[in-house]
Amino acid sequence: MAEAVYILCALTSVACAVLLLRGWKRSQSRLLLWSGLCFVGMAVSNVLLFVDLVILPTTIDLYMPRLLATLASVAVLLYGLIWDAS
Amino acid sequence: MLRSMINGAVAMGWLACALFFLRFWKQSRERLFAFFSLSFVMLAANSVAAALMDAQDERRYYLYLARLVAFLIILYAIWDKNRAARNGGG
């Protein structure tokens, strides 16, 4: 069950990223670009989550890379919101 | 310690994003922004919970369930926006 949730997290974040970036290509709205990039980072984080908890043995811990990917996503979105979107 | 700190920073970041989207929603009354704001509040709560929880805690699984719900809210928001655009609305 947990594995299914990890896979769905990865798939939904990839879907969010694709839809937001497609929206950006269509409308050229910068807000959509930054949101899309944020979700690209979240997708990386969630793919790492699956790799870490399901594929790799428990001796290898990818918690820190996952956390840093999430931090980078937030930073990208905040940067966009503060400097670009309004 | 470092993990908790980064989790806290991530939570603060999501909350700031949520407030930005809340402002956009107040200005434009567009539902997409309200859904985005809600989703980012959920992600912020998620990070706070992750910071407070022990790495070996069995309940960590529910964190990812909440994260999944936040992503589904974003997907619904995009679908809702596209549907409104197709119907000639805003």
Side-chain angles (χ1 to χ4, degrees), chain B residues 2 19 27 31 45 62 66 68 72:
Chain B
L2 184 64
L19 284 176
Q27 283 169 351
R31 265 202 309 222
Y62 293 107
L68 179 63
L72 287 174

Side-chain angles (χ1 to χ4, degrees), chain A residues 1 46 61 63-64 66-67, chain B residues 3 7 61 64 67 71:
Chain A
M1 184 61 189
N46 284 305
D61 185 18
Y63 191 89
M64 213 51 185
R66 287 197 273 129
L67 205 52
Chain B
R3 288 179 173 196
N7 263 318
Y61 158 70
Y64 300 109
R67 192 191 273 193
F71 292 150

Side-chain angles (χ1 to χ4, degrees), chain A residues 51-63 65-66, chain B residues 3:
Chain A
V51 172
D52 186 16
L53 298 187
V54 179
I55 298 176
L56 291 178
T58 46
T59 46
I60 304 172
D61 185 18
L62 293 182
Y63 191 89
R66 287 197 273 129
Chain B
R3 288 179 173 196

Side-chain angles (χ1 to χ4, degrees), chain A residues 22-42:
Chain A
R22 256 181 43 186
W24 166 67
K25 275 190 91 174
R26 207 173 44 217
S27 69
Q28 292 297 310
S29 156
R30 304 280 287 173
L31 185 57
L32 285 175
L33 170 66
W34 294 113
S35 312
L37 289 177
C38 168
F39 275 91
V40 169
M42 287 306 282

